[in-house]
Amino acid sequence: MKFETIKSKKKILLIGIILFCIGVTLILTSTLAAYKKTTTIKIAEGTVNYIIPDMKIVAINVQDGVDENGNNTYKSVPDLWYYDTSENYIVNHSETYCDVYDYEYDEWYESRDFVFKFDNNSFTFSVEGIYAKNTKCYIYLDINDGSNEITIDDILASKTKDKRVDFSTIFTEDTTGTIYIGIENYALSYYYAGAPTDNYVKFAGAYWRIIRINGNGSLRMIYSGNVDEIDALTIEDDGITKFDVLANGYDDSETRYTQLCEDYSPYDSCSFDELENYNEYLDIELGFCLDKTYSEDYYCTAFTVITKEECLSYPSSFNYAWELGTIYGPYKRLVKNKAPIFECPDSNDLDKIEAGLITADEVAYVGGVVKQENKNYYLYTGYEYWTWSLYVDNFDSYDIFFTVEDNGSLNAAYEGYGTISIRPVINLKSNILLTGLGTIDVPYEVVGLS
């Protein structure tokens, strides 16, 4: 009898544990649902579906024209038969709002603290910031004709997302409307690759091409000609304005930049004097990484990037050798492994300055490959220019840097070798406001900060 009593108690205990676990699961599920911040709302197919139990979409209004006073007119989304999917829509943040119930004061109040993003490719909303129960939202979508104020998030939401995995061959596709996914310091970084026609920016008296949306949400772009040289953007003959080289080594990244730059057109100097007028828009804290990590490995003592076979095939008079020496991180990643990265391997190599240069890793992401000609991607200019990436330390006497060759390939050169150009790169803050469509005719233009 004693044994049977113990056995019965064990059964009761086991049942109690199971019921307790079920109860905890139900509580956690309901609690997490109540505080879920982000969801996707499908608005195609004539229905509005959402999974946040605390939010109610009262109305989604889509612009269908402009009245005689120049104000946008809207039509309610439930009547979706008219919906023109060929248009490029963005969320009108000034019109969009939510009614939130304050349980403490027992009253409703209007809020615009929520972030709504609209994806034109999947016809879905992303919503962030929904906390209170029974929140009622009124969403307005405008047709983006280039005159609307937009954010970097709006640019991202308007693109199809894709991912590149093979960096051993050049990339030349027309990728207009597509942006590619990378990783930077455990955050997503979205970059333009191939030959897009929708990454033009007009800023600070110059034209630029967007390289990527950085992991912190800021915008990195490369100089592509001043405002008087719009025709140069076709990159014919000599192409975009060249920058002369002033060599003789460097002490740090800022010194290297100023030593390389003799004519920082359109600003007429390397002191960033003109660019400082736009400091409020620049993300200087993000910085530029001059990767100095190194290891011992074999390389050719020629300053160009070549294979062992090519190196040894040169006449003996060239004195080239395939030998063990000091190679830098970018060499190992791009020449040997064909595996670029966005991260800075050593934070001590990060310099917080107004402008730098593109890295060889970024060139590889875009579509450039060591010793492979590529005249069909947006970094091709028809002339050679420096990158921000070290190649090898040649006999410990001088450093060799990666360059983008005049045929679009990645190569290398040492400072003082001929005339090699530079193309400044800057980072714009994540909260910039822009207008435009990103095309050469209607480029993005910075109009303020949110």
Side-chain angles (χ1 to χ4, degrees), residues 366-383:
V366 173
V369 179
V370 172
K371 300 295 284 186
Q372 293 186 33
E373 179 180 296
N374 187 355
K375 296 183 177 181
N376 295 297
Y377 73 138
Y378 72 87
L379 292 179
Y380 168 72
T381 62
Y383 63 88

Side-chain angles (χ1 to χ4, degrees), residues 143-171:
I143 298 171
N144 184 17
D145 60 2
S147 63
N148 307 75
E149 285 190 359
I150 60 174
T151 65
I152 294 175
D153 282 339
D154 290 324
I155 294 175
L156 182 59
S158 69
K159 307 299 179 187
T160 299
K161 314 302 186 299
D162 204 345
K163 188 175 183 179
R164 294 191 62 212
V165 294
D166 181 11
F167 299 97
S168 64
T169 58
I170 62 173
F171 193 56

Side-chain angles (χ1 to χ4, degrees), residues 289-295 297 305 326-346 349 358-364 368-370 387-393 400-403 410-412:
C289 180
L290 182 62
D291 181 6
K292 300 172 188 171
T293 59
Y294 63 89
S295 62
D297 208 337
V305 181
T326 301
I327 69 168
Y328 290 101
Y331 177 98
K332 196 163 191 175
R333 293 193 296 271
L334 305 179
V335 178
K336 293 184 175 293
N337 300 332
K338 302 293 190 295
I341 62 172
F342 284 135
E343 293 90 350
C344 189
D346 186 344
D349 294 335
I358 194 169
T359 66
D361 291 88
E362 288 171 329
V363 175
V369 179
V370 172
T387 75
W388 201 251
S389 300
L390 288 159
Y391 170 57
V392 297
D393 183 359
I400 296 174
F401 288 83
F402 277 95
T403 66
L410 271 172
N411 207 338

Side-chain angles (χ1 to χ4, degrees), residues 8 63 80 102 125 128 137 160 190 259 401:
S8 298
Q63 181 187 353
L80 283 177
D102 189 322
F125 286 107
E128 297 177 2
C137 296
T160 299
Y190 298 89
Q259 288 177 334
F401 288 83

Side-chain angles (χ1 to χ4, degrees), residues 146-370:
S147 63
N148 307 75
E149 285 190 359
I150 60 174
T151 65
I152 294 175
D153 282 339
D154 290 324
I155 294 175
L156 182 59
S158 69
K159 307 299 179 187
T160 299
K161 314 302 186 299
D162 204 345
K163 188 175 183 179
R164 294 191 62 212
V165 294
D166 181 11
F167 299 97
S168 64
T169 58
I170 62 173
F171 193 56
T172 63
E173 294 179 14
D174 181 347
T175 56
T176 302
T178 300
I179 199 164
Y180 292 83
I181 303 171
I183 301 293
E184 180 185 20
N185 299 324
Y186 306 104
L188 294 180
S189 179
Y190 298 89
Y191 63 96
Y192 288 84
T197 60
D198 56 355
N199 65 335
Y200 289 94
V201 178
K202 186 178 178 182
F203 175 74
Y207 286 91
W208 309 75
R209 301 295 292 272
I210 301 173
I211 300 170
R212 61 187 177 109
I213 299 171
N214 300 305
N216 71 344
S218 61
L219 199 68
R220 177 166 295 197
M221 53 190 194
I222 186 169
Y223 177 82
S224 293
N226 65 37
V227 293
D228 297 322
E229 297 176 327
I230 184 66
D231 292 337
L233 293 175
T234 58
I235 312 177
E236 296 175 355
D237 300 322
D238 289 339
I240 303 166
T241 300
K242 293 183 173 67
F243 299 87
D244 295 328
V245 172
L246 183 63
N248 302 320
Y250 66 95
D251 295 319
D252 53 44
S253 292
E254 185 166 9
T255 303
R256 164 171 164 70
Y257 185 89
T258 55
Q259 288 177 334
L260 284 176
C261 177
E262 182 179 275
D263 178 20
Y264 183 35
S265 178
Y267 309 120
D268 300 325
S269 74
C270 292
S271 64
F272 307 113
D273 289 342
E274 191 71 22
L275 201 55
E276 284 179 358
N277 294 332
Y278 300 89
N279 267 352
E280 63 178 312
Y281 301 112
L282 299 180
D283 185 346
I284 297 174
E285 289 300 309
L286 183 65
F288 294 87
C289 180
L290 182 62
D291 181 6
K292 300 172 188 171
T293 59
Y294 63 89
S295 62
E296 292 285 305
D297 208 337
Y298 283 89
Y299 75 102
C300 187
T301 56
F303 63 83
T304 55
V305 181
I306 53 180
T307 64
K308 178 179 180 179
E309 290 72 21
E310 289 177 309
C311 186
L312 299 179
S313 68
Y314 274 85
S316 58
S317 59
F318 282 89
N319 294 319
Y320 293 158
W322 186 256
E323 64 179 35
L324 188 66
T326 301
I327 69 168
Y328 290 101
Y331 177 98
K332 196 163 191 175
R333 293 193 296 271
L334 305 179
V335 178
K336 293 184 175 293
N337 300 332
K338 302 293 190 295
I341 62 172
F342 284 135
E343 293 90 350
C344 189
D346 186 344
S347 60
N348 293 320
D349 294 335
L350 194 64
D351 293 281
K352 297 179 180 181
I353 55 178
E354 294 95 333
L357 304 176
I358 194 169
T359 66
D361 291 88
E362 288 171 329
V363 175
Y365 273 111
V366 173
V369 179
V370 172

